[in-house]
Amino acid sequence: MRTISLGRTGEQVSALALGCMLMGTSTDEDTSFGILDRYLGAGGTFLDTADCYAWWTSPDATGGESEALLGRWFARTGRRDEVFLATKGSAWVRDPSAVREGRSAATEQYAGAGGDTLRHALDASLRRLGVDHVDLYYVHVDDLGTPLEETLSALADLVAAGKTRYIGWSNVQTWRLERIRQLCDRNGWPAPVALQQEHSYLRRHPAARTVSVVDDEQLRYLRAHDDLTLVAYSPILKGVYDDPVKRQEHHVMDSYRGADSDARLAVIAKLAADLGVTGSQLALAWVLHQRDPGRVTLIGPRTPAQYDSSMAALAIDLDDSVLAELDAAGA
């Protein structure tokens, strides 16, 4: 398992991180434990979860299931000190049933990034995880309704208290990142060391309004600030590289549809066939090969077969000619 530097922290983390979003809900406990054991057995160290995972998976789910499962796995194995553990706050949904029944949007239910909210949220996460600290704590969804000074001061307190070693941000625009960094510098607060955004081989359509997908501006910003490492979530975009129906119907494509993505999907299909791999594996391998800026690739397998397929991307060596063909594709 290759490792990369996490910003300028001195930490080396797995280039392929294991997302635990569906563990404890869509993925049952025995299967989840098996995947976790196999990931650490393969040299992996970076586990990613959140307090809201995964309320949307069933009528009985409320959030916290993933963290609670990891807590049981830590208790069973005693392997907490072998992993770099990340969780997130601010996207806890207060009334999942209202969202599932269409009476409310999830964004209207988010707990937000108020100071007291984050303090209570991290304490609850630590209880579910059965640990005294996490290594990385993200603001899961950027909260424009709370002053950044309030959020950052609370996060600084959590670092000072030893409840998290580092902080990160997710689903955030570049101008906000710069504002966050300026405030941290001005006030002596710990600055984010990780930026978790949706990132794959397909490029965001210029007209897409989402703040969650990395665009060219954000990549340029990351190149200029090597103290901030990109953690790329949804690198296979729910499997669209191998599923024509999903490419037509899944909402994940809303940010990507257009001639540019059509051209890049065609090249992925051609080269995957030439290399004898799946389109998803090739897309994962492309992200893993990126160095400017360096990035962590985050997978979230639901089944052992999905885990095996994703891990196989580590063994795919893309030579310069293949990378050049992939990078040149587009409208």
Side-chain angles (χ1 to χ4, degrees):
M1 177 73 72
R2 182 173 65 87
T3 63
I4 71 168
S5 298
L6 183 70
R8 298 178 192 157
T9 64
E11 300 283 347
Q12 290 290 312
V13 297
S14 300
L16 194 66
L18 180 62
C20 305
M21 181 172 71
L22 299 178
M23 293 183 179
T25 51
S26 298
T27 307
D28 66 39
E29 185 152 316
D30 287 345
T31 302
S32 298
F33 282 9
I35 290 172
L36 288 161
D37 291 341
R38 292 179 63 195
Y39 176 70
L40 265 68
T45 59
F46 195 167
L47 302 181
D48 179 274
T49 187
D51 63 353
C52 65
Y53 292 161
W55 62 264
W56 58 90
T57 53
S58 76
D60 299 325
T62 60
E65 291 87 359
S66 172
E67 291 179 330
L69 180 137
L70 286 172
R72 294 191 293 275
W73 181 75
F74 289 137
R76 189 199 73 169
T77 64
R79 305 188 77 173
R80 164 64 184 97
D81 293 339
E82 297 179 41
V83 303
F84 188 88
L85 177 61
T87 194
K88 314 177 193 75
S90 78
W92 179 272
V93 171
R94 291 183 293 273
D95 186 0
S97 62
V99 182
R100 286 193 289 260
E101 295 165 10
R103 294 183 282 111
S104 173
T107 52
E108 297 171 354
Q109 294 278 338
Y110 288 155
D116 286 341
T117 299
L118 290 178
R119 292 184 189 97
H120 294 315
L122 182 52
D123 283 344
S125 290
L126 295 177
R127 286 194 297 272
R128 285 187 290 268
L129 289 161
V131 301
D132 61 5
H133 75 283
V134 295
D135 298 295
L136 176 60
Y137 191 57
Y138 291 97
V139 173
H140 197 168
V141 177
D142 193 29
D143 178 5
L144 297 176
T146 299
L148 279 172
E149 291 87 348
E150 178 183 343
T151 300
L152 290 165
S153 176
L155 291 170
D157 289 345
L158 293 172
V159 173
K163 294 181 179 182
T164 183
R165 297 170 63 207
Y166 307 107
I167 68 165
W169 231 269
S170 185
N171 303 299
V172 61
Q173 292 176 284
T174 307
W175 70 268
R176 287 276 288 180
L177 276 178
E178 178 59 19
R179 176 67 173 150
I180 289 162
R181 289 163 55 87
Q182 288 178 3
L183 286 169
C184 290
D185 182 64
R186 185 180 308 159
N187 292 282
W189 293 327
V193 301
L195 168 67
Q196 188 171 138
Q197 296 281 89
E198 184 172 294
H199 176 55
S200 186
Y201 172 68
L202 297 188
R203 296 182 287 214
R204 191 183 85 169
H205 191 282
R209 300 180 65 183
T210 179
V211 302
S212 300
V213 180
V214 170
D215 59 10
D216 287 343
E217 178 189 36
Q218 203 155 71
L219 288 174
R220 288 194 297 270
Y221 188 86
L222 290 164
R223 291 186 189 105
H225 300 95
D226 64 359
D227 56 334
L228 190 59
T229 296
L230 175 61
V231 179
Y233 77 79
S234 292
I236 63 173
L237 297 176
K238 312 297 184 184
V240 300
Y241 293 100
D242 299 306
D243 190 333
V245 175
K246 281 188 176 179
R247 288 199 289 273
Q248 292 297 319
E249 300 178 357
H250 201 289
H251 65 81
V252 76
M253 284 297 295
D254 292 348
S255 300
Y256 302 95
R257 297 188 198 283
D260 186 72
S261 287
D262 291 343
R264 287 170 86 82
L265 285 164
V267 168
I268 279 274
K270 170 187 172 296
L271 291 175
D274 291 344
L275 295 168
V277 299
T278 68
S280 291
Q281 288 170 334
L282 182 53
L284 273 175
W286 178 86
V287 179
L288 286 163
H289 276 71
Q290 302 308 301
R291 300 290 189 273
D292 186 24
R295 61 209 77 180
V296 173
T297 307
L298 178 63
I299 59 171
R302 180 177 53 83
T303 66
Q306 290 176 352
Y307 170 81
D308 290 338
S309 179
S310 293
M311 291 294 284
L314 289 167
I316 300 174
D317 186 21
L318 304 180
D319 63 31
D320 289 345
S321 63
V322 172
L323 286 169
E325 188 170 355
L326 286 165
D327 291 341

